[in-house]
Amino acid sequence: MTASRFDELIHAPTRLSIVSLLAASEWADFKFIRDSLRLSDSALSKQLTTLEEAGYVEIRKGFVGKRPRTSARLTRVGRAAFELHVAALQEMVVRSGASILPR
Amino acid sequence: MSEQLSPGEAAQALDEIQRRQQQVIDLAAIPAWYWWAVGGLMVVLGAGVDVRTPTAIGIAVPVFVVGMLAVNGWVIGRAFRHAQPRNGLLDGHGVVSILGFVAVIAGGTIGLAFALRGAGAHYPATWACLAGGLVMGLAGPALNRVLRRVMLSNRAGSAR
């Protein structure tokens, strides 16, 4: 049986979307995440800080030419927590008798 | 909170997880024009090889090199400007598909060029590169679809 653990920190709607984007990425650009989720800079910063404080996300700030650029990625801890969370959600669906169909 | 979550809400969350990961994977799709651009650059190189004058080679080789750097730079740069898909999404099957595609195009083009030259055809490299470029333009999107399928099946939460 696959290990699973529901993670309340990840499951908050905006954070679930952020972590899902990061789960498929090596690094994701701040603007890409912000525009994908239609968040303001401050709202995204707040969510990323929460995830960073939990050790789930690493934030990198740098420059491309003279332009500042911020990127984020899931840490190993964050990826493990996300996978356990996904397994927990799958268990809930399976327990109800429904099937999980990939899109 | 998990105690209060209904199976329907869990399914909705899983759907969101899949959708967001797919968004990143779709960014990795190579546009159709890329394959035709690389095919066109191959033809330029082949023509340079056939004409074989210093001027022709002096034009064809830089055009090929600069063109390849530009189109590949654009594709790679786009991923870095948005989100670079996780390396683990492309498993052994994906890597074998890419290597097989390159081997078939390169091997087929070179083999055809030698065969045409052996048969005494004029401009064998140009014709062979034209054939290779056509195959690349037509088959490139198929490779895209294979790689997309591989990456989707490797994202978190997919039924494997």
Side-chain angles (χ1 to χ4, degrees):
Chain A
M1 189 177 169
T2 314
S4 66
R5 186 170 64 84
F6 188 89
D7 193 312
E8 293 195 16
L9 188 92
I10 289 177
H11 195 73
T14 308
R15 286 199 291 272
L16 184 72
S17 302
I18 293 170
V19 173
S20 301
L21 281 175
L22 296 178
S25 316
E26 289 292 331
W27 286 96
D29 186 61
F30 183 93
K31 288 179 189 163
F32 167 72
I33 304 169
R34 179 197 67 192
D35 296 344
S36 298
L37 305 180
R38 294 179 184 167
L39 293 172
S40 63
D41 283 359
S42 59
L44 178 56
S45 290
K46 189 180 162 195
Q47 299 297 349
L48 283 177
T49 302
T50 303
L51 290 164
E52 189 182 29
E53 283 170 358
Y56 287 0
V57 162
E58 180 187 345
I59 295 170
R60 182 174 66 180
K61 294 187 179 187
F63 284 86
V64 177
K66 288 182 177 176
R67 291 185 175 183
R69 187 179 158 173
T70 304
S71 308
R73 79 166 172 188
L74 275 188
T75 61
R76 194 174 295 178
V77 173
R79 191 170 297 283
F82 175 69
E83 284 173 4
L84 291 171
H85 182 67
V86 170
L89 293 171
Q90 287 176 330
E91 265 184 31
M92 285 177 211
V93 175
V94 168
R95 267 205 311 264
S96 75
S99 63
I100 302 162
L101 296 172
R103 282 157 60 95
Chain B
M1 187 179 176
S2 63
E3 309 301 319
Q4 299 160 1
L5 202 69
S6 73
E9 287 168 326
Q12 270 181 5
L14 285 170
D15 191 55
E16 170 68 2
I17 288 166
Q18 302 270 307
R19 200 166 63 84
R20 292 300 176 189
Q21 291 182 95
Q22 187 179 327
Q23 198 177 339
V24 174
I25 289 166
D26 285 342
L27 276 176
I30 296 169
W33 63 258
Y34 170 88
W35 306 104
W36 292 108
V38 173
L41 290 168
M42 284 169 60
V43 174
V44 170
L45 187 65
V49 168
D50 278 336
V51 175
R52 212 173 289 180
T53 62
T55 308
I57 293 174
I59 293 170
V61 171
V63 166
F64 180 78
V65 171
V66 171
M68 288 295 282
L69 286 174
V71 293
N72 285 301
W74 188 89
V75 168
I76 294 167
R78 188 181 57 152
F80 277 93
R81 281 192 301 275
H82 296 104
Q84 184 193 348
R86 187 165 60 87
N87 298 333
L89 291 172
L90 211 56
D91 59 13
H93 183 225
V95 173
V96 166
S97 301
I98 294 170
L99 293 178
F101 182 80
V102 172
V104 166
I105 299 281
T109 302
I110 293 168
L112 181 60
F114 278 113
L116 288 171
R117 194 175 74 167
H122 293 295
Y123 304 110
T126 307
W127 287 114
C129 286
L130 189 62
L134 275 174
V135 172
M136 180 166 270
L138 295 170
L143 176 67
N144 254 353
R145 286 193 292 275
V146 169
L147 297 180
R148 183 175 184 271
R149 204 164 48 236
V150 168
M151 288 194 279
L152 287 175
S153 68
N154 285 329
R155 66 189 159 165
S158 289
R160 284 170 224 185

